[in-house]
Amino acid sequence: MKRRIARENAFIAAFEASFNANSIEEIVAASREQDEYAVDAYGEALLANFYAHSAEVDDLIKARLKDWTLARLPRVNAAILRLAVTEMRFNGSDDMDSIVINEAVELAKKYAGEEDYQFINGVLGAISREAHSAKADEPAGPADSASEEA
């Protein structure tokens, strides 16, 4: 399954989960029974990472919401933001931010309100820029120092 489809299916499962308190296992099993929106291994890992890091993910989002609270966001937007932030920060690939943001914007265009994609793009862009500027400010570690000397 392509990552785009895996992300979309994980989003659909996360959106559904926002209406009930089923476990991640129940959500994935139900999606696989329906087959049309089956969550694959990548989507399952994404959902599991969100559940494992939900407080951190929500804190990252809340810090970028101006005059809004996470509870006031439409469920579609919250689900898109949560999965995108999870993938950007907790799925192991720092160099994937632009792809993840683009995919989140596409999901917003398909499922969210008419101009919500701009909001999604702005929040995710701010999170990505801040993370990359924080990494640029980190002092060089021992491995970095050795490569600079060579």
Side-chain angles (χ1 to χ4, degrees):
M1 178 179 296
K2 292 182 178 182
R3 289 267 169 100
R4 177 180 291 240
I5 295 169
R7 288 181 184 105
E8 185 172 2
N9 291 352
F11 154 74
I12 291 168
F15 179 70
E16 180 184 337
S18 72
F19 290 97
N20 58 51
N22 290 343
S23 71
I24 185 68
E25 294 82 12
E26 291 171 323
I27 293 167
V28 170
S31 79
R32 289 179 178 159
E33 285 176 15
Q34 295 171 359
D35 196 43
E36 185 178 358
Y37 299 107
V39 175
D40 69 354
Y42 186 81
E44 185 174 3
L46 187 57
L47 289 167
N49 276 335
F50 167 67
Y51 280 93
H53 300 284
S54 61
E56 295 164 89
V57 168
D58 285 353
D59 287 345
L60 284 167
I61 295 168
K62 288 176 193 174
R64 277 69 181 190
L65 299 178
K66 295 178 178 141
D67 301 326
W68 281 86
T69 63
L70 196 53
R72 283 188 57 214
L73 289 182
R75 288 179 195 240
V76 169
N77 294 357
I80 292 169
L81 285 170
R82 285 173 166 155
L83 286 182
V85 171
T86 299
E87 189 168 10
M88 289 166 49
R89 294 296 151 254
F90 301 104
N91 265 31
S93 293
D94 291 335
D95 58 342
M96 298 276 294
D97 284 7
S98 61
I99 294 168
V100 172
I101 293 169
N102 184 56
E103 295 284 332
V105 166
E106 292 303 316
L107 284 173
K109 286 178 179 178
K110 185 173 182 178
Y111 292 102
E114 192 172 308
E115 298 190 16
D116 288 350
Y117 74 92
Q118 296 168 334
F119 173 77
I120 301 286
N121 187 52
V123 172
L124 296 176
I127 291 170
S128 179
R129 282 188 301 277
E130 289 173 20
H132 289 286
S133 70
K135 286 183 182 181
D137 293 341
E138 290 178 2
D144 295 333
S145 299
S147 64
E148 289 174 5
E149 293 172 8

